[in-house]
Amino acid sequence: MTGGPETADVVIVGAGASGAAAAWALSGHGLKIVCLEQGDWVDQSSSPSLDSSWEIALQTVFHPNPNIRAGTRDYPVTDDATPIKPALFNAVGGSTIRWGAHFPRLHPSDFRVRTLDGVAGDWPVTYPELEPYFDINDRMMGVAGLAGDPANPPRADRPTGPLPLCPATRRIAAAFDSLGWHWWPSDAAIVSVSYGDGRKACNNCGPCGLGCPRRSRASTDITYWPVAIRGGVDLRTRCVVTALKTTSSHQVGSVAYVDGDGHRCEISAGTVIVGCNGLGTSRLLLASASRRHRTGLANSSGQLGRNLMLHPTAIVTGVFAERLDSHRGPFATSLYSQQFYETDGANDFIRGYQLQALRGQGPVGTALGGYMHRLPWGETHHRQFMAEFGHSVSLTVTTEDLPEPVNRVELDRDRKDAWGLPVPKMTYRLGENTRRMLSHGTAKAREVMATAGASEIIVNPLARQAGFHFLGTARMGDDPETSVVNGDCVSHDIDNLMIVDGSVFPTSAAVNPTPTIQAVALRAADRLLHRLGISEGPRA
Amino acid sequence: MTASLLSAILDRLLPGNSEGWPAAGKLGLAPSVGAFMSRTPEGAAWLEVVLSGTAPDFLELTPARQTRDLKRLEAAEPEAFERLVVAAYNMYYTHPEVRGVIERLTGYEARPPQPLGYEMEPFDEALLVRQKQRAPFWRRTGGEA
């Protein structure tokens, strides 16, 4: 037997939205690529949506908060110091297993925030540079939508046509029209007709966050991963990476991990790509501190873990006298408004927000309130239930969060997970600009609901269980003094270390980030191939 | 004693009425609510906080006085009480008898979302007639098509 650790050309940490896209883009070129994923495969063919207790699953094994879900592959998060709680999923597919699949792109202006509005920083990449990767990603994920939105640049025809509105969302659309405000059918990572490898058209069932037995709703375990594995990528599940080990001040040499049987393993890597989201990536790099890198790996700027952005969101719910059957149809993907998306000098805040329609929920979700309010117990309970169930529709006010160093991810040195790693600790507070934006957006959403004829309007000023978007904690930039990675997602400090998840966002924009995360990851993989002398230009 | 006490509490949280809604305790939900809460050590402790926090003579009180006692307990132990309410709502609204009432009163089918789903009509582009008349209003930064 020869000794020494196993060797790979590329080791990817995390098999979620970004890791899957990067793995696919790098596959098929003769590289030995190993992906280490903490979680396991999720069998979506036996989704809880097939069972009468499906709503209990949403409160337990599919709860978005790992502290509540407490699955065997989860790590806890110390969240006492943040009003917005963590929401993520550990599995092949990552949080795309648990998402609603709303699929908007950042705007061109989102990449030029400093230049246009004098705040935060510009991105070192532009919308036109990412556009071909957005298009590739749309085809790989399978998207329903309609080109022609006047709030966004022209884009290619969507791979499948838009998902329909329902009685509830038609009311909202009509209200936007009456007010003279923008709305458009959502781009959704859900296919409206049969698509690709055995994916059936959406059948309007509703709870996308439980996984999709028809495979209509995209998640990277059914989109990128089957192709990447056929292309030779070695995906290893239930492998918890515990540290990245360096061989010099500027090179990472190996990845240490605990496999599914509890064995401690190590694999040498020519390049390491980290895609564990803006929480897990900071945690891993901070936990990889050594004598060479005392404040964590890739942290000479001191920015690692800082500038956490979470898209603070208010929810405004309209209750209508008429029965709307609003539980029917994908929960999060019907229509959005970007009327108030761009900076407007007349406002008392800079940047902007998106309004996104949310349909109603099932009986348990209605009673518990979901993102809204819990119904009262006691004698009035059933009357209130009947007033709201199937009679409500909501608008989110999703705000652009500006980067602030005090908002951050650190290691909680007093707590360790099942594998001996320090638990990540979130510290976060709302900025004044965000508060003003939430207030403005809530008023506008109330106006929509009133125009739509709501008999009651209920406001949740800040959705707590909604920390789905961890952004900014390893931001990209041209200056190594103020950023962690460059525009190609390569660490300024460590030549062969890349970060490809939402950590690298210098600014958050005001839309769901996954399409942009994946476009950035695809481009970063392309740039790596170029540096390795393997290919140039985006893969068709 | 514990089961009968929890059952009585559930009857006050989700009482029956003349529309056909069953009372949660009489529906026999106490064991499943207890099991839901006891999935974790913290949950079991919260359940104990609620059960031990009610008035000693709770079972003998009138419904109105039981409700007042629970409101007192909710104010004193909000986190534990909230966990009980969450467990009760989960078990109640997934019970077949309750789903049957919902179906009768609202038309919402007492079946899981899949595999049947719901009919999905094509998107009606006529809805967009006003929006399509609008000129592009995104901010240009240079280099876009």
Side-chain angles (χ1 to χ4, degrees), chain A residues 83-84 312 401 404 407 428-432 434-435 438 461-462:
Chain A
I84 302 173
D401 207 4
E404 296 188 62
N407 292 334
Y428 182 88
R429 59 153 173 74
L430 290 177
E432 183 56 31
T434 305
R435 290 180 189 279
L438 284 168
L462 183 68

Side-chain angles (χ1 to χ4, degrees), chain B residues 2 10 12 17 20 23 33 43 45 47 60 66 72 86 88 102 106 108 112 129 139:
Chain B
T2 296
L10 292 174
R12 296 284 66 75
N17 69 18
V33 169
L47 178 59
E60 284 73 51
Q66 285 181 335
R72 172 196 59 77
V86 168
I102 295 172
T106 73
Y108 177 76
V129 63
R139 284 165 100 184

Side-chain angles (χ1 to χ4, degrees), chain A residues 66-85:
Chain A
N67 294 331
I68 297 172
R69 185 175 64 241
T72 56
R73 306 309 304 175
D74 287 321
Y75 55 86
V77 180
T78 299
D79 63 2
D80 305 334
T82 172
I84 302 173
K85 304 303 178 185

Side-chain angles (χ1 to χ4, degrees), chain A residues 241-520:
Chain A
V241 174
T242 53
L244 308 184
K245 297 185 174 180
T246 56
T247 52
S248 73
S249 297
H250 300 287
Q251 288 283 316
V252 59
S254 62
V255 177
Y257 67 98
V258 180
D259 73 11
D261 296 322
H263 299 126
R264 295 202 171 268
C265 308
E266 194 164 327
I267 182 168
S268 295
T271 300
V272 175
I273 299 176
V274 184
C276 305
N277 80 44
L279 186 66
T281 290
S282 295
R283 175 206 194 198
L284 174 60
L285 298 182
L286 290 168
S288 299
S290 65
R291 278 185 296 178
R292 287 194 185 100
H293 303 92
R294 292 184 182 277
T295 61
L297 205 56
N299 193 24
S300 66
S301 66
Q303 295 301 308
L304 182 66
R306 293 191 181 273
N307 309 303
L308 174 65
M309 298 173 282
L310 292 172
H311 283 156
T313 297
I315 312 271
V316 176
T317 299
V319 181
F320 296 82
E322 300 80 5
R323 175 179 157 183
L324 299 172
D325 284 341
S326 53
H327 54 274
R328 298 184 179 190
F331 177 68
T333 53
S334 53
L335 65 83
Y336 60 88
S337 171
Q338 295 184 341
Q339 179 68 32
F340 307 101
Y341 192 86
E342 305 280 8
T343 294
D344 180 345
N347 294 331
D348 63 352
F349 56 87
I350 49 175
R351 308 300 297 157
Y353 57 86
Q354 173 178 265
L355 302 172
Q356 175 189 345
L358 297 181
R359 292 191 166 97
Q361 304 184 73
V364 175
T366 300
L368 293 177
Y371 296 121
M372 285 75 82
H373 68 144
R374 175 175 65 69
L375 298 188
W377 57 269
E379 295 293 337
T380 63
H381 175 85
H382 289 114
R383 187 165 66 247
Q384 192 81 18
F385 177 87
M386 288 299 291
E388 294 193 21
F389 178 65
H391 290 251
S392 69
V393 63
S394 303
L395 283 171
T396 71
V397 181
T398 304
T399 58
E400 172 159 354
D401 207 4
L402 293 173
E404 296 188 62
V406 296
N407 292 334
R408 64 188 302 192
V409 175
E410 301 169 274
L411 299 180
D412 184 341
R413 299 289 181 184
D414 297 327
R415 296 178 73 197
K416 291 190 174 178
D417 68 10
W419 301 274
L421 255 76
V423 163
K425 174 186 175 184
M426 295 168 64
T427 302
Y428 182 88
R429 59 153 173 74
L430 290 177
E432 183 56 31
N433 193 65
T434 305
R435 290 180 189 279
R436 292 177 181 177
M437 212 184 296
L438 284 168
S439 174
H440 189 276
T442 299
K444 294 300 180 186
R446 289 185 71 105
E447 213 173 324
V448 176
M449 291 301 175
T451 304
S455 55
E456 184 184 5
I457 300 172
I458 303 161
V459 174
N460 177 354
L462 183 68
R464 289 167 57 83
Q465 299 290 349
F468 287 98
H469 306 155
F470 303 98
L471 304 171
T473 49
R475 65 186 179 191
M476 60 164 66
D478 293 326
D479 184 354
E481 298 286 319
T482 59
S483 58
V484 177
V485 298
N486 65 22
D488 292 344
C489 297
V490 179
S491 159
H492 289 302
D493 300 346
I494 310 293
D495 299 336
N496 62 339
L497 173 64
M498 299 170 65
I499 301 171
V500 296
D501 55 49
S503 308
V504 304
F505 279 34
T507 53
S508 69
V511 292
N512 314 56
T514 301
T516 307
I517 289 172
Q518 293 181 302
V520 167

